[in-house]
Amino acid sequence: MKGIQGTSNKTYRQIMGNGLRYEIPKFQRDYTWDTEHWDDLWQDIETLLSDEENEHYMGYLVLQTSNNKEFKIIDGQQRLTTMSLIILATLKSLKDLIDGGIDASNNTKRKDSLLNSYIGYIDPVTLISNNKLKLNKNSDDYYKQHLVLLKELPLRNTNTSEKHMRECFNWYYEKIRKRFKSGEQLARFIDDIVDKLFFTVIEVSDQLNAFKVFETLNARGVQLSSSDLLKNHLFSVVDETKPHISEMDELENIWGKIVGKLGEQKFEDYLRYYWNSKNKSVGKKNLFKTIKQNISSKEQVFELIRSLNDTADYYLAIQNPEDDFWRNKPEVKKSLKELRLFQIKQTNSLFLSALQNSTSETFERLVKICSIISFRYNIIGGLNPNVQEEVYNSVAVKLSKTKQFDVKDFESIYVIDYNFENDFSTKEFKNTTRNHKIVKYILSKIEVYKYRNDIDFESDIYTVEHILPESADERWGDFSFDAINRSVYRIGNLTLLEKKLNREIGILPYVEKSKWFLQSNCQLTKNLPDSYETWNEDKLAARQRDLARAAKSIWKIQELGK
């Protein structure tokens, strides 16, 4: 496409030199890098400083310019912002030396030289900075008024982007001040990295609309996130109508609220679940293409982003059973906790639709239905979640259109009693942190059902006891080596036992363990010695069948029958 003039490799010194100015457009995302990104870059810098490598590649930097002096940053703003913060953290370290009277004259010269070369010019009278890098509207004031001036960084009343920049500055400041003790070392550090860090720079020199540049670059392999792509499309649709500035400000304001609530990563997931709550299911790969085909007018754009903003709080609440939204809804909270334990996300679109199109009572019933289905289908059955998501999507769309659903809508993904009982009778749970929680949940539910004894599965009082130990020795002679491998993780071999008792019994034989089981307040465990005088593979299987019969009654939707 006309306007992209090719590529060239440039060091950071070349990019920031000769009076060049860079601006992050207001439609670009805020600063989002976190500790993982900062540490990755620092490790790369450490490699350069130790002379293990002579240079380090920083990736693409995509710029738009009409005069080769002022550039809009189309892609690369996270890296350029981070580099500025590294230099500012170094300047702060130099300032510390100056304030401490350490080689103050030379360190002042070093500080001023680095500032003018890579950050910008500060008017000595007004103390207003004229920076080489201008950030977006959510970040630039904080950058100019606090970071560049090396002032105390405010902790309160800061947005997400400002918080990330503050934390990045402090993170690098701690690394730099500990590693470099003199002004000469600090100056050499910057002098080294500005020549050894290089980018592949793509310059767009024509008057292409910045939004279209985004699309072109994405098509050529410079991948941008779904949120960037969506914002590009929505803003371009409105921009083509030659809107009043207040309309663009309103668009920017609503967009900022959505991303502020969710963050960039959650937004991309939320967008798909939102769209699928009203439309035929679309995968991540085709999401942007689908939205672009369906949202083509200014009215549709504003309707979409206002609805996204209104619904974002619902999405956050669905992810968090402890959200204040569920304060007076204990049954919903309970079911959402179960779904979180099961790691179920396929219901998100359905729940978004239900919260907008049904009563509180209907939503409570729906969430409970989905929890039961998920337990039978996912946890015990281990069946294909893609099929499940298609069903949830069809019910979501039905709710969106008719404001109602029927339990029979879920019949195809409700595992029938016969299959569920058989699956449960042979189910095993390997010893993982997640499985430990699930087993505690299952056994506590069966405990309540059989003995009306309520045990909090989230409590640390109880732990999961393997009746046949994982490291069984010759005292467990009723089990062959193969039988141990077949049996040890089966749910029939698992029970709840107080942590203090579990520490005592170790790999004792069953007869000895039974004495400790009798002391438990969990009836499933306390009754083991009376129900089973000895423990072998047949008795383990019999106990698991008994647990399966109870489970069939506990996790059951009556309307779907057998």
Side-chain angles (χ1 to χ4, degrees):
M1 184 173 179
K2 184 180 178 182
I4 296 180
Q5 302 299 326
T7 64
S8 62
N9 289 340
K10 292 184 180 181
T11 65
Y12 187 75
R13 186 194 296 273
Q14 291 171 325
I15 290 167
M16 299 306 291
N18 300 320
L20 304 180
R21 293 286 185 271
Y22 299 88
E23 178 182 351
I24 299 173
K26 67 179 183 179
F27 56 82
Q28 281 286 31
R29 72 170 74 179
D30 291 339
Y31 184 68
T32 58
W33 270 23
D34 56 22
T35 308
E36 183 179 355
H37 300 95
W38 308 330
D39 190 59
D40 283 346
L41 179 54
W42 183 253
Q43 295 302 322
D44 294 331
I45 289 172
E46 289 272 26
T47 302
L48 294 175
L49 297 177
S50 64
D51 292 327
E52 291 179 42
E53 293 182 1
N54 293 322
E55 58 185 11
H56 175 69
Y57 179 57
M58 294 284 285
Y60 280 95
L61 186 62
V62 184
L63 308 172
Q64 182 184 4
T65 182
S66 59
N67 57 18
N68 292 320
K69 291 183 179 179
E70 297 171 341
F71 298 85
K72 287 186 177 179
I73 302 169
I74 305 303
D75 190 50
Q77 69 272 23
Q78 304 291 322
R79 284 161 287 156
L80 284 187
T81 302
T82 303
M83 284 301 301
S84 288
L85 293 171
I86 289 173
I87 290 169
L88 286 169
T90 306
L91 296 181
K92 175 70 163 61
S93 298
L94 281 167
K95 184 176 182 295
D96 291 345
L97 296 176
I98 296 166
D99 292 345
I102 301 172
D103 197 11
S105 177
N106 287 329
N107 283 333
T108 298
K109 292 176 184 176
R110 292 179 179 114
K111 174 177 168 293
D112 290 344
S113 175
L114 293 173
L115 180 72
N116 291 331
S117 295
Y118 304 109
I119 301 298
Y121 170 76
I122 297 178
D123 188 289
V125 177
T126 64
L127 297 181
I128 295 174
S129 59
N130 182 12
N131 299 326
K132 290 176 175 286
L133 176 64
K134 181 179 180 180
L135 306 187
N136 73 3
K137 61 183 286 188
N138 292 328
S139 309
D140 198 51
D141 284 347
Y142 191 85
Y143 178 72
K144 283 196 308 185
Q145 295 172 17
H146 300 287
L147 286 161
V148 171
L149 298 181
L150 302 179
K151 288 184 173 182
E152 194 73 26
L153 300 179
L155 300 176
R156 302 180 121 194
N157 300 318
T158 56
N159 61 41
T160 303
S161 180
E162 292 167 343
K163 177 176 177 288
H164 278 292
M165 288 195 298
R166 181 184 70 241
E167 291 176 350
C168 175
F169 174 87
N170 288 332
W171 194 90
Y172 281 115
Y173 172 65
E174 289 299 319
K175 295 286 185 184
I176 290 166
R177 74 179 185 85
K178 289 177 182 177
R179 198 182 198 285
F180 307 107
K181 301 301 182 183
S182 71
E184 187 177 354
Q185 289 177 339
L186 288 163
R188 186 178 296 116
F189 163 62
I190 296 300
D191 207 48
D192 279 348
I193 65 172
V194 297
D195 286 329
K196 293 181 178 180
L197 297 174
F198 74 97
F199 299 76
T200 298
V201 179
I202 300 176
E203 291 184 8
V204 182
S205 58
D206 66 358
Q207 297 299 315
L208 286 175
N209 181 282
F211 305 117
K212 293 178 182 177
V213 173
F214 252 60
E215 292 181 343
T216 305
L217 295 172
N218 186 70
R220 294 194 176 196
V222 182
Q223 294 299 317
L224 304 167
S225 73
S226 297
S227 57
D228 284 328
L229 287 171
L230 177 68
K231 189 175 184 182
N232 159 41
H233 172 64
L234 298 180
F235 277 56
S236 64
V237 167
V238 177
D239 190 57
E240 286 170 2
T241 67
K242 295 182 170 50
H244 189 275
I245 190 171
S246 63
E247 292 180 303
M248 293 304 290
D249 286 344
E250 174 69 2
L251 200 63
E252 183 71 39
N253 181 47
I254 299 173
W255 185 270
K257 288 180 179 178
I258 299 168
V259 175
K261 291 175 183 177
L262 297 166
E264 290 285 348
Q265 296 305 313
K266 277 188 179 179
F267 175 83
E268 295 182 31
D269 291 332
Y270 166 55
L271 176 60
R272 187 172 79 88
Y273 292 127
Y274 169 86
W275 187 262
N276 290 346
S277 72
K278 301 172 182 291
N279 306 280
K280 184 178 178 181
S281 185
V282 177
K284 274 188 176 181
K285 187 169 68 173
N286 294 315
L287 178 63
F288 173 68
K289 179 181 176 182
T290 301
I291 293 177
K292 187 176 176 183
Q293 289 172 344
N294 286 274
I295 306 296
S296 57
S297 71
K298 181 168 74 174
E299 292 73 23
Q300 288 174 322
V301 169
F302 275 98
E303 181 183 356
L304 173 64
I305 69 159
R306 283 173 177 147
S307 183
L308 280 168
N309 186 44
D310 292 341
T311 313
D313 289 327
Y314 288 154
Y315 179 72
L316 290 171
I318 289 167
Q319 310 306 304
N320 179 19
E322 304 300 334
D323 194 283
D324 281 347
F325 191 77
W326 314 117
R327 187 184 304 165
N328 299 315
K329 302 178 177 71
E331 289 303 312
V332 172
K333 188 174 180 178
K334 176 182 170 185
S335 296
L336 288 176
K337 277 187 175 183
E338 292 171 345
L339 288 165
R340 183 171 65 177
L341 175 65
F342 304 159
Q343 297 182 355
I344 301 298
K345 296 181 178 179
Q346 296 90 339
T347 54
N348 284 341
S349 294
L350 174 57
F351 291 169
L352 281 174
S353 180
L355 282 169
Q356 297 174 85
N357 298 295
S358 66
T359 64
S360 295
E361 292 75 16
T362 300
F363 183 77
E364 180 178 311
R365 179 165 167 258
L366 179 67
V367 177
K368 185 172 183 180
I369 287 170
C370 289
S371 176
I372 293 171
I373 287 173
S374 298
F375 184 77
R376 287 190 171 219
Y377 189 99
N378 303 89
I379 300 303
I380 302 302
L383 300 172
N384 184 358
N386 293 331
V387 175
Q388 194 180 26
E389 189 164 6
E390 289 175 9
V391 174
Y392 288 143
N393 170 247
S394 67
V395 181
V397 174
K398 180 178 179 180
L399 266 168
S400 182
K401 292 178 178 177
T402 68
K403 313 293 184 188
Q404 58 186 359
F405 77 94
D406 192 305
V407 178
K408 296 286 185 182
D409 295 333
F410 299 102
E411 196 162 25
S412 64
I413 55 171
Y414 180 73
V415 178
I416 61 172
D417 284 353
Y418 178 79
N419 290 344
F420 175 68
E421 190 173 346
N422 281 342
D423 291 341
F424 196 102
S425 294
T426 58
K427 185 69 179 179
E428 65 176 19
F429 288 94
K430 299 293 185 183
N431 195 358
T432 67
T433 300
R434 175 176 177 249
N435 283 347
H436 185 85
K437 293 176 181 177
I438 289 174
V439 170
K440 285 179 70 176
Y441 162 78
I442 293 171
L443 294 175
S444 66
K445 293 277 281 188
I446 295 175
E447 176 81 4
V448 172
Y449 174 76
K450 289 173 73 78
Y451 304 108
R452 301 295 183 264
N453 183 25
D454 195 0
I455 289 177
D456 181 6
F457 76 91
E458 294 180 305
S459 167
D460 289 334
I461 295 174
Y462 287 88
T463 188
V464 174
E465 158 67 8
H466 293 73
I467 301 169
L468 167 68
E470 291 177 280
S471 52
D473 58 19
E474 66 279 357
R475 290 175 291 179
W476 289 84
D478 287 341
F479 289 87
S480 66
F481 178 77
D482 288 339
I484 290 173
N485 289 334
R486 286 194 303 267
S487 304
V488 70
Y489 296 118
R490 287 184 60 176
I491 196 165
N493 187 55
L494 307 177
T495 195
L496 294 176
L497 187 63
E498 288 84 346
K499 191 177 288 185
K500 61 183 180 182
L501 297 178
N502 204 327
R503 283 195 292 263
E504 300 291 337
I505 61 178
I507 59 170
L508 290 174
Y510 181 74
V511 173
E512 295 298 319
K513 276 192 173 188
S514 296
K515 298 173 185 177
W516 295 95
F517 290 162
L518 290 170
Q519 298 179 43
S520 177
N521 289 316
C522 173
Q523 292 299 315
L524 279 172
T525 306
K526 191 171 187 173
N527 291 347
L528 274 168
D530 291 336
S531 302
Y532 308 97
E533 292 183 6
T534 58
W535 195 246
N536 55 42
E537 195 170 4
D538 289 339
K539 291 182 177 178
L540 183 156
R543 178 174 183 259
Q544 189 156 339
R545 287 193 297 271
D546 180 61
L547 295 175
R549 285 189 289 273
K552 180 177 64 177
S553 298
I554 297 166
W555 290 277
K556 187 177 186 65
I557 300 172
Q558 293 296 337
E559 297 94 323
L560 295 180
K562 297 181 179 180

